[in-house]
Amino acid sequence: MEDLLQKVTSLCKRRGIIFPNSEIYGGIGGFFDYGPVGVEMKNNLKRYWWKNMVDKREDIVGIDGAIITHPKVWEASGHIENFGDEVVECKKCHQRFRPEDITDKCPNCGNTEFTEPRSYNLLFETEVGVLENSKMKSYLRGEACQTIYLDFKNVVDSTRQQIPFGIAQIGKAFRNEVTPNRLTFRTREFEQWDLQFFVHPLYIQTIWRNGLNIGKRKE
Ligand SMILES: [Zn+2]
């Protein structure tokens, strides 16, 4: 499996699909650049998604939210407290793994002894402002969808949308993964394509029954 992934990784590089970021300085774990072919593939998919998800539907609108929000957002969402990742460390080679990534042996050295799982917060910290006494600690968004909720009222007030309707967004999110690996399968910077659909709680049963026809209004 690892061999196959290595083949895919070097193919992606040779063909200009995905490059490791900062490669001339030895690379930086969990960050990748899309090359000339990769960016076209990604943009094609994005355009297709947006066209079908937003442009063709009257009950869905889009936003493009900021990456940094007020830190209270992440307090309220529970991310500061709970956005963690469990990690165990091999007692011999000190490589770190997610518990679900190992069976009984260390994939690196074959040792069978690990530390107890420890929890790490995945939010990327940053500082807003430059003056020492007025800096505010904030976070790069760990999930893109928060801005959809934050902008909900502004969207309602500025468009003709009424529930049921949806808000879509394509945007960057960041997670300080403790064990970034496997090409773009687990990265620290990535893009999320979100659709949040808002309905009145009383209609949930009906919508559940009608499945994908949620957006088709009876009028
Ligand atoms: Zn090991």
Side-chain angles (χ1 to χ4, degrees):
M1 185 63 199
E2 279 309 307
D3 273 2
L4 178 63
L5 190 72
Q6 272 165 19
K7 278 182 193 161
V8 174
T9 306
S10 59
L11 179 86
C12 281
K13 194 178 142 181
R14 276 200 318 276
R15 299 280 166 88
I17 301 170
I18 296 169
F19 305 134
N21 175 272
S22 313
E23 200 181 15
I24 58 166
Y25 293 106
I28 172 167
F31 296 94
F32 291 91
D33 300 334
Y34 285 82
V37 176
V39 71
E40 296 299 336
M41 290 164 77
K42 197 163 89 151
N43 284 343
N44 270 345
L45 282 170
K46 261 200 267 197
R47 278 192 290 265
Y48 180 82
W49 190 87
W50 196 264
K51 198 165 126 193
N52 287 282
M53 205 61 91
V54 183
D55 294 347
K56 284 188 178 173
R57 295 188 58 136
E58 286 184 357
D59 59 346
I60 296 176
V61 292
I63 62 159
D64 182 10
I67 282 168
I68 294 175
T69 52
H70 196 288
K72 280 197 173 148
V73 172
W74 303 102
E75 228 175 275
S77 66
H79 281 75
I80 292 179
E81 206 169 341
N82 294 317
F83 197 44
D85 207 5
E86 292 238 300
V87 173
V88 296
E89 191 178 307
C90 168
K91 284 189 174 172
K92 195 171 161 197
C93 71
H94 301 291
Q95 274 228 17
R96 290 175 183 158
F97 306 95
R98 287 184 176 191
E100 69 263 29
D101 288 346
I102 48 173
T103 46
D104 49 343
K105 282 185 188 153
C106 168
N108 187 45
C109 73
N111 179 40
T112 53
E113 279 186 283
F114 298 93
T115 59
E116 287 297 307
R118 276 172 61 189
S119 211
Y120 294 86
N121 193 289
L122 299 185
L123 284 177
F124 260 94
E125 288 182 10
T126 187
E127 281 177 327
V128 179
V130 287
L131 297 175
E132 224 24 78
N133 53 9
S134 66
K135 280 186 186 174
M136 176 171 70
K137 182 164 106 174
S138 190
Y139 306 89
L140 307 187
R141 58 184 181 185
E143 250 167 31
C145 67
Q146 258 71 20
T147 39
I148 293 182
Y149 304 129
L150 295 172
D151 287 339
F152 177 82
K153 189 165 182 304
N154 282 333
V155 170
V156 170
D157 291 348
S158 62
T159 65
R160 287 156 181 263
Q161 298 296 340
Q162 292 174 334
I163 54 169
F165 81 98
I167 303 177
Q169 177 182 226
I170 292 179
K172 290 274 178 118
F174 300 81
R175 292 181 190 174
N176 220 343
E177 293 283 352
V178 188
T179 59
N181 58 18
R182 308 182 63 75
L183 194 60
T184 47
F185 291 102
R186 193 181 291 160
T187 57
R188 288 176 164 139
E189 172 178 339
F190 52 94
E191 214 163 57
Q192 288 190 320
W193 305 7
D194 269 320
L195 167 65
Q196 309 289 328
F197 207 86
F198 301 93
V199 296
H200 193 284
L202 286 176
Y203 292 113
I204 284 182
Q205 285 299 330
T206 324
I207 285 158
W208 194 250
R209 273 198 302 273
N210 294 340
L212 289 173
N213 294 322
I214 45 174
K216 306 230 169 97
R217 286 177 187 151
K218 295 187 196 92
E219 22 184 48

